[in-house]
Amino acid sequence: MQKKIYIVRHCEAQGQPSESQLTEKGSKQAKYLVDFFSNAKIDRIMSSPFLRAIQSVEPLSEKTNIKIEIDERLSERTLSTTDLPDWYEKLKATFNDMELKFEGGESSQEAMNRIVNVVEEVFKSRTENTVIVSHGNIISLLLKEL
């Protein structure tokens, strides 16, 4: 059995909080995903619990009649719970030092382990074709690992 795992970054959203919804453009992108996957056989859909990720895959779920499985491990990584004016520089530093952590945050290694565990479990499952919807930072860490 040849497995396929489609990794999808959520569509355009109104902000970063977990309850941020898709923009109008993001809603159009979510509908485009239905067209994109129209010739693919999808057996399973997994999503981050963040609203923007769920909304990104809802049209596909409705079209395929596949229930969205919410997995906390697909949540976006928290860089810090404090405001970091130089957050971008700090984020870059965490890609060079995978163990670097800021107050209340998660290291790149910890976040990468979460998403890698999900992908490994999908590979071990009986499911052939899975769509996983998550976030840019943690998907970048998955790609770094792969």
Side-chain angles (χ1 to χ4, degrees):
M1 167 170 63
Q2 183 180 4
K3 291 185 180 264
K4 291 184 183 171
I5 300 176
Y6 301 94
I7 307 293
V8 177
R9 182 198 176 267
H10 65 79
C11 302
E12 184 181 84
Q14 295 175 0
Q16 292 299 313
S18 62
E19 66 278 0
S20 294
Q21 297 188 32
L22 295 182
T23 62
E24 186 177 326
K25 179 180 179 182
S27 294
K28 289 178 184 173
Q29 291 170 335
K31 290 178 181 137
Y32 173 74
L33 280 175
V34 175
D35 293 336
F36 181 83
F37 287 113
S38 64
N39 293 323
K41 182 182 179 306
I42 303 299
D43 304 303
R44 185 178 187 188
I45 300 172
M46 300 177 73
S47 176
S48 157
F50 286 32
L51 183 57
R52 60 187 177 269
I54 295 167
Q55 287 179 332
S56 295
V57 78
E58 278 177 333
L60 181 63
S61 170
E62 291 167 9
K63 178 73 174 176
T64 59
N65 216 15
I66 297 171
K67 183 179 180 284
I68 300 169
E69 298 174 39
I70 304 301
D71 194 316
E72 295 286 334
R73 296 173 297 173
L74 297 171
S75 298
E76 182 59 290
R77 169 184 174 207
T78 300
L79 184 61
S80 176
T81 53
T82 61
D83 186 35
L84 300 174
D86 60 342
W87 68 269
Y88 188 69
E89 293 304 315
K90 297 237 186 314
L91 178 64
K92 286 195 317 190
T94 66
F95 275 77
N96 293 323
D97 179 352
M98 296 292 285
E99 300 298 333
L100 180 60
K101 275 170 98 159
F102 299 103
E103 186 178 333
E106 184 178 31
S107 73
S108 289
Q109 189 65 54
E110 290 167 331
M112 182 171 36
N113 290 346
R114 282 194 287 119
I115 195 165
V116 167
N117 287 338
V118 172
V119 170
E120 286 174 348
E121 286 176 16
V122 170
F123 270 121
K124 291 175 186 172
S125 74
R126 297 179 185 262
T127 308
E128 283 187 53
N129 303 299
T130 302
V131 173
I132 295 176
V133 184
S134 192
H135 306 269
N137 188 317
I138 196 164
I139 289 172
S140 297
L141 292 167
L142 173 65
L143 295 174
K144 180 178 174 83
E145 174 68 7
L146 297 177

